[in-house]
Amino acid sequence: MTTPFKPKALPLLIATLALAVSGCSGGGGSPATSITGVTLEGTAAKGIIKNGKVVAEELSSAGIALRTVGSAITKVDGSYEIAVANGYLGGPIQVTISSDTTTEMKCDIPAISGCGPRTDDITDTNSTVDFSEWYKPGDLTMTALVAEAANGDKINANITPYTDLAARRAKLNGTVDKTAVYNANSEVSNLLGGIDILRTKPLDITDPIAAKNGTSTGRAYAAFVAAIASLANASSGKPDLNGALLTLSTSFADGKILGDDDSSEIFSLQDLIDAAEDTFKRTGFDDTAGVIAALQKEATAAGYGFFNPARSTTADMPTLTKVKTFVGDVRTWGTVISAEMKAKGDAFDQQTSLASDAADMSLNLLISPALKAALDAIMFNAKSTNPGSDLSGYGIPGFTGTISKSNGVITITNGVIDGVTVNMTASVPVNGTTASSFTIGITSATFRSAAADADIKKGTVVLNLASPYNINYTELDAGTASIPDISGASIDLDISLTQKQNSTGGALSEQVTFAGALSTTLTNPIKDAAGDYTWITPSTLTLGGKISSAGHSMEATFTANITNASTFTPVGETLSNPSFVLEGSGANQWLDATVGLNFGLQLAGLPKASINITGDRTGLKDGTAMITIAYGTRQIVVNGTVMNGVTTGAMEITNQDGVKMTIIPGADKTGTLTFNGTAYGTIKELSNGLVKITYADGTFETL
């Protein structure tokens, strides 16, 4: 597959990473005169909302509406735009969407029952509000809070259940100033793994094209927005959305949320994760942004205790200070963090390298032979009508223990071979079974030895056939059985290995665990002229691994979603090119994919560092890419667009506070530093090769 991101502005980015930041200056207090030229824009989504009434009000420090500063009606895509009235004096702005008899909302619950029975006057072919159908939500109100605005600002203010949660959170202590708003929005953003709840556009998850063409973060945000409706009380026939918003606020009342719980009265982090994950599965997308995986770790760590997301330490800084701190963060990512992590990282690398060499030996000499012996015994048992329960009678030298069978499930209990103890349960088709789908594989298995332990939590293959097929092991062994046509398949593998000894048999100072998982759904198998299968397309793919030892861990996950898997046709072999060619420029000859690659490094005593790289392919050599680098609660995001294999247009770098660095590639690279669309600094490459950053207060830096 063509690499989707080759930034031509990389030299400037590298130079920026080396920047030594000078002292920061702060901003002023609240203005006493009218602020002009401010624009609010965004999307209202709890399901996309059209014909919703949006009202913008300036609030007092007590959270009381002082004046209405603008209004709008949402369009069919949920978007709105408000030109803020000149009477606005610079305080926090509350943006509220409410419904009336003309307001409609898209059902974003992908379950079979959708959003429940239809009770409105919209014409429908059945009596149910199905996924992606419009319905009238009745009384619905959601809000978002904007901390402040300056002259000429163009502010993204999306309105979702999570901005509503942040608004309620900001009002709890009775003082609604810009600090309270900034901190609440930051806190709830970190509840969602760093998604900027105010500035990130929630995509229409019910529209495959809109979801595909949006960002990976926007898809994740949409899935978590849909989760609220999925969790809402629907005992009255349709989701009680206002009730769900209140429940969400109650569940996060102290700025923390239970990792998991057994109550239906509140939402836990696990509840949100499960509902968002279900939305992804039912809509055919994967979370390439890695948000669900990251939050699952937090939920698992919290258990039945609390997850307490920390706000960004820079959230309530004066604007110019935020801008200068952002530039410092860009430098820090390339220098300070690297140096801080190097010593511990080198020690971890040395430890895992020693364990890796030993693990190779354990796999080759212990685990693999034991696994092969166990699988041979299982297949022998499956084919035999009266195989017996004593493994020593199965003709496998040195293999002792017991084995049993029940309805195609075969279990090895306390099998021992070459010093390895094996316990395994596997599922195989029963001889003579006729079906259109067969599950083959390991349900669970443990291998224990003095040198290493291994666990297989899952190792299954599901084959889906074009028509019913009869399993006849005698004919299969003889090679006389017909080969069925495959319509699709899925593979799930989850395995871990803990190395306890080094390659010479001595004990490791710290045990090292290697863990990996593979999950994929395959479709559209392709045959050649001879009738042999040459290709099958993965519609979804998740591949991950983790190494951990003594409080340190390193992990990586790759996810992919192929939206044209059912129609993709590889180029294949040609007379002029006999080697197999996967992709071409013709119709359905390139993989229409969204992919994500996540790296995480956790060293004991340091904040977790992570990198997420996502790509959305729009053509054979076209696409977009986003790189997210996080360290603790700080974050840097780099965006780029590729046309015909070359990065085009401006490259954008943003952070968790919404500060943006825009770099325009060219002979002499230029750029700007902005917040809410207003420039607070300029970037220019000088004739001597240095780069100059000039700030709005007249200070500057060169590199």
Side-chain angles (χ1 to χ4, degrees), residues 649-695:
M651 181 172 67
E652 295 182 348
I653 307 173
T654 58
N655 75 345
Q656 71 282 349
D657 297 323
V659 181
K660 181 184 296 184
M661 176 186 289
T662 303
I663 301 172
I664 303 173
D668 55 340
K669 301 174 183 66
T670 59
T672 57
L673 287 161
T674 60
F675 179 75
N676 286 339
T678 298
Y680 288 87
T682 59
I683 304 168
K684 183 174 179 59
E685 186 178 38
L686 305 177
S687 58
N688 59 6
L690 296 176
V691 174
K692 181 180 180 181
I693 297 181
T694 304
Y695 295 107

Side-chain angles (χ1 to χ4, degrees), residues 53-71:
K53 184 179 180 181
V54 182
V55 176
E57 300 168 301
E58 185 173 5
L59 301 182
S60 71
S61 60
I64 305 300
L66 297 174
R67 60 190 64 84
T68 297
V69 295
S71 63

Side-chain angles (χ1 to χ4, degrees), residues 247-326:
T247 300
L248 180 63
S249 179
T250 302
S251 305
F252 195 64
D254 297 323
K256 55 188 178 181
I257 189 170
L258 283 170
D260 202 352
D261 77 295
D262 298 321
S263 170
S264 60
E265 303 299 319
I266 60 173
F267 299 152
S268 67
L269 181 58
Q270 190 64 58
D271 290 332
L272 298 178
I273 292 169
D274 290 344
E277 191 170 35
D278 184 60
T279 298
F280 271 120
K281 287 180 179 179
R282 291 177 182 270
T283 55
F285 286 99
D286 277 328
D287 178 21
T288 53
V291 175
I292 286 178
L295 289 181
Q296 184 60 67
K297 293 181 177 65
E298 300 290 359
T300 301
Y304 283 86
F306 285 97
F307 167 54
N308 187 0
R311 67 174 181 84
S312 165
T313 56
T314 57
D316 61 344
M317 285 183 175
T319 300
L320 192 55
T321 305
K322 285 182 183 180
V323 173
K324 292 185 176 183
T325 302
F326 164 69

Side-chain angles (χ1 to χ4, degrees), residues 316-470:
D316 61 344
M317 285 183 175
T319 300
L320 192 55
T321 305
K322 285 182 183 180
V323 173
K324 292 185 176 183
T325 302
F326 164 69
V327 176
D329 280 345
V330 174
R331 169 192 54 81
T332 300
W333 257 250
T335 55
V336 176
I337 292 176
S338 176
E340 185 179 29
M341 298 174 70
K342 179 172 172 47
K344 291 186 177 182
D346 286 349
F348 179 43
D349 179 65
Q350 182 180 15
Q351 179 73 9
T352 55
S353 294
L354 290 172
S356 178
D357 293 339
D360 284 342
M361 295 180 61
S362 294
L363 282 172
N364 292 329
L365 301 179
L366 296 173
I367 307 301
S368 292
L371 175 60
K372 182 180 184 304
L375 292 176
D376 287 345
I378 286 170
M379 290 310 300
F380 181 86
N381 185 286
K383 297 173 185 178
S384 304
T385 56
N386 188 21
S389 60
D390 189 348
L391 283 172
S392 61
Y394 277 53
I396 303 172
F399 199 13
T400 61
T402 60
I403 186 169
S404 60
K405 175 169 59 178
S406 177
N407 296 323
V409 177
I410 300 174
T411 302
I412 293 176
T413 304
N414 294 328
V416 179
I417 184 169
D418 296 329
V420 180
T421 300
V422 182
N423 285 278
M424 180 185 296
T425 300
S427 176
V428 296
V430 176
N431 194 32
T433 298
T434 300
S436 298
S437 179
F438 293 96
T439 300
I440 307 167
I442 300 168
T443 305
S444 64
T446 63
F447 303 83
R448 299 290 181 261
S449 71
D453 295 339
D455 294 86
I456 299 176
K457 298 178 182 179
K458 185 185 292 184
T460 60
V461 175
V462 177
L463 289 178
N464 299 316
L465 308 179
S467 59
Y469 182 76
N470 178 262

Side-chain angles (χ1 to χ4, degrees), residues 398-624:
F399 199 13
T400 61
T402 60
I403 186 169
S404 60
K405 175 169 59 178
S406 177
N407 296 323
V409 177
I410 300 174
T411 302
I412 293 176
T413 304
N414 294 328
V416 179
I417 184 169
D418 296 329
V420 180
T421 300
V422 182
N423 285 278
M424 180 185 296
T425 300
S427 176
V428 296
V430 176
N431 194 32
T433 298
T434 300
S436 298
S437 179
F438 293 96
T439 300
I440 307 167
I442 300 168
T443 305
S444 64
T446 63
F447 303 83
R448 299 290 181 261
S449 71
D453 295 339
D455 294 86
I456 299 176
K457 298 178 182 179
K458 185 185 292 184
T460 60
V461 175
V462 177
L463 289 178
N464 299 316
L465 308 179
S467 59
Y469 182 76
N470 178 262
I471 294 291
N472 188 313
Y473 286 120
T474 301
E475 293 180 354
L476 287 170
D477 283 343
T480 59
S482 61
I483 304 300
D485 285 332
I486 301 171
S487 60
S490 62
I491 301 172
D492 283 291
L493 175 65
D494 191 342
I495 185 171
S496 66
L497 182 142
T498 299
Q499 188 62 33
K500 298 183 287 186
Q501 294 181 349
N502 61 31
S503 57
T504 62
L508 288 170
S509 58
E510 297 288 349
Q511 297 182 3
V512 178
T513 298
F514 304 84
L518 166 68
S519 177
T520 183
T521 302
L522 304 165
T523 190
N524 190 25
I526 304 295
K527 288 183 177 181
D528 60 16
D532 297 323
Y533 287 107
T534 58
W535 175 261
I536 185 168
T537 306
S539 56
T540 62
L541 172 65
T542 301
L543 177 64
K546 180 177 181 179
I547 304 173
S548 56
S549 173
H552 304 316
S553 65
M554 179 174 63
E555 55 192 311
T557 304
F558 174 79
T559 57
N561 181 79
I562 311 297
T563 56
N564 66 335
S566 61
T567 58
F568 172 71
T569 304
V571 175
E573 298 177 344
T574 64
L575 292 176
S576 60
N577 187 358
S579 61
F580 187 81
V581 179
L582 181 61
E583 292 186 304
S585 58
N588 293 318
Q589 285 190 337
W590 55 274
L591 294 165
D592 187 0
T594 61
V595 298
L597 183 60
N598 295 278
F599 296 99
L601 181 60
Q602 177 70 72
L603 299 175
L606 296 179
K608 181 177 180 179
S610 64
I611 298 176
N612 170 256
I613 303 172
T614 63
D616 293 297
R617 202 174 186 193
T618 58
L620 182 60
K621 296 183 179 180
D622 301 339
T624 60

Side-chain angles (χ1 to χ4, degrees), residues 161-322:
Y162 297 98
T163 63
D164 188 86
L165 172 62
R168 297 178 190 233
R169 179 93 180 117
K171 295 176 181 179
L172 280 180
N173 62 6
T175 301
V176 187
D177 56 13
K178 64 181 181 180
T179 294
V181 176
Y182 276 131
N183 288 341
N185 283 335
S186 176
E187 193 177 45
V188 178
S189 292
N190 288 330
L191 169 65
L192 293 187
I195 293 175
D196 189 331
I197 59 169
L198 198 65
R199 300 177 185 90
T200 302
K201 178 181 179 180
L203 301 175
D204 184 354
I205 199 71
T206 72
D207 183 339
I209 296 177
K212 166 66 178 66
N213 292 337
T215 67
S216 58
T217 307
R219 283 190 292 273
Y221 196 13
F224 277 95
V225 167
I228 301 304
S230 298
L231 295 170
N233 185 335
S235 58
S236 62
K238 64 181 180 181
D240 178 7
L241 298 179
N242 282 332
L245 295 174
L246 179 59
T247 300
L248 180 63
S249 179
T250 302
S251 305
F252 195 64
D254 297 323
K256 55 188 178 181
I257 189 170
L258 283 170
D260 202 352
D261 77 295
D262 298 321
S263 170
S264 60
E265 303 299 319
I266 60 173
F267 299 152
S268 67
L269 181 58
Q270 190 64 58
D271 290 332
L272 298 178
I273 292 169
D274 290 344
E277 191 170 35
D278 184 60
T279 298
F280 271 120
K281 287 180 179 179
R282 291 177 182 270
T283 55
F285 286 99
D286 277 328
D287 178 21
T288 53
V291 175
I292 286 178
L295 289 181
Q296 184 60 67
K297 293 181 177 65
E298 300 290 359
T300 301
Y304 283 86
F306 285 97
F307 167 54
N308 187 0
R311 67 174 181 84
S312 165
T313 56
T314 57
D316 61 344
M317 285 183 175
T319 300
L320 192 55
T321 305
K322 285 182 183 180

